[in-house]
Amino acid sequence: MSETKSSSILPWSFISDKVVYKTPVLDVLERRVLSPKDGLEKCFTVFKAPSWVNVLALTEDNLIVMVNQYRHGSRAFSLELPGGVVEPKDSLETAARRELLEETGYSAENFELFLTLNPNPAIFGNGISTFLAKGAKKTGQTHFDPNEETELVLVSLADLEKKIVTGEINHALMLSPLSLFLLKTKSCQK
């Protein structure tokens, strides 16, 4: 990920991280830093999580391969791009290919890194990378993780725009790549 710089604000100096709580999906850290403004040591709470990937897969008919799944944080269903955690042994692309196949049964030959974002720089240091996979085809069966179940949804570009505008798609980490994709698609059509 690229880093924005400032000409008038100095970065804080890192002192240490201490894990204060571990979960299967992230660790809660107490981060000690030195303020450049007053030179005092300060403490912040941050989350350490693995990187994530998602896949903006387009079929040969220009339909976007999406999944509908129940999310426990919102206690509601969420229409999303297929994706998941990057395992330590995997490259970003390997993880993206795996997640697309596991959650949808689709695969594609060509994967292109489309966008990498920080989910929330105030508390996270990991990244979420979106891959564009054109010519996706149904090539296999789904293979869900033990606590995972998704429903395949194929969405046209026109319907995607409606789902974004109406709020049917309300997951911020999905809206960023989907909205950018629509903007790029529209600018290429002019």
Side-chain angles (χ1 to χ4, degrees):
M1 285 181 285
S2 65
E3 184 180 318
T4 303
K5 305 222 185 286
S6 172
S7 60
S8 62
I9 303 172
L10 296 172
W12 295 56
S13 299
F14 174 80
I15 298 172
S16 66
D17 279 342
K18 176 182 167 188
V19 177
V20 293
Y21 189 71
K22 278 181 112 30
T23 77
V25 295
L26 59 81
D27 294 343
V28 179
L29 305 179
E30 178 183 272
R31 175 158 295 163
R32 297 208 168 278
V33 291
L34 198 60
S35 168
K37 189 175 181 179
D38 60 18
L40 296 176
E41 185 175 312
K42 312 280 177 141
C43 183
F44 292 90
T45 301
V46 296
F47 300 126
K48 181 180 178 187
S51 291
W52 308 315
V53 292
N54 56 36
V55 183
L56 204 165
L58 288 167
T59 68
E60 292 174 339
D61 298 331
N62 258 0
L63 298 174
I64 298 175
V65 179
M66 298 189 74
V67 293
N68 193 30
Q69 60 185 318
Y70 186 81
R71 292 301 195 180
H72 295 282
S74 62
R75 294 177 32 201
F77 286 95
S78 179
L79 185 58
E80 304 176 3
L81 297 170
V85 170
V86 179
E87 300 296 338
K89 67 182 182 344
D90 289 341
S91 68
L92 294 173
E93 183 177 330
T94 298
R97 288 179 180 278
R98 181 191 67 242
E99 291 295 334
L100 177 63
L101 185 60
E102 282 180 1
E103 292 187 3
T104 68
Y106 276 73
S107 63
E109 281 192 32
N110 297 314
F111 276 60
E112 172 188 331
L113 183 60
F114 180 68
L115 179 67
T116 299
L117 300 169
N118 182 309
N120 183 346
I123 55 174
F124 281 100
N126 66 328
I128 181 165
S129 297
T130 301
F131 281 82
L132 183 60
K134 294 181 179 174
K137 297 177 184 172
K138 182 84 167 167
T139 58
Q141 297 298 314
T142 54
H143 299 283
F144 300 122
D145 293 335
N147 294 321
E148 178 181 52
E149 183 180 15
T150 66
E151 172 184 51
L152 177 66
V153 181
L154 299 177
V155 179
S156 71
L157 295 180
D159 284 345
L160 176 65
E161 192 167 347
K162 288 177 197 164
K163 290 177 185 305
I164 289 172
V165 169
T166 63
E168 184 177 342
I169 299 174
N170 64 6
H171 188 315
L173 298 178
M174 300 300 133
L175 285 170
S176 294
L178 289 169
S179 297
L180 180 60
F181 178 75
L182 282 175
L183 284 171
K184 285 185 173 189
T185 301
K186 285 183 175 188
S187 70
C188 288
Q189 292 173 349
K190 289 182 179 177

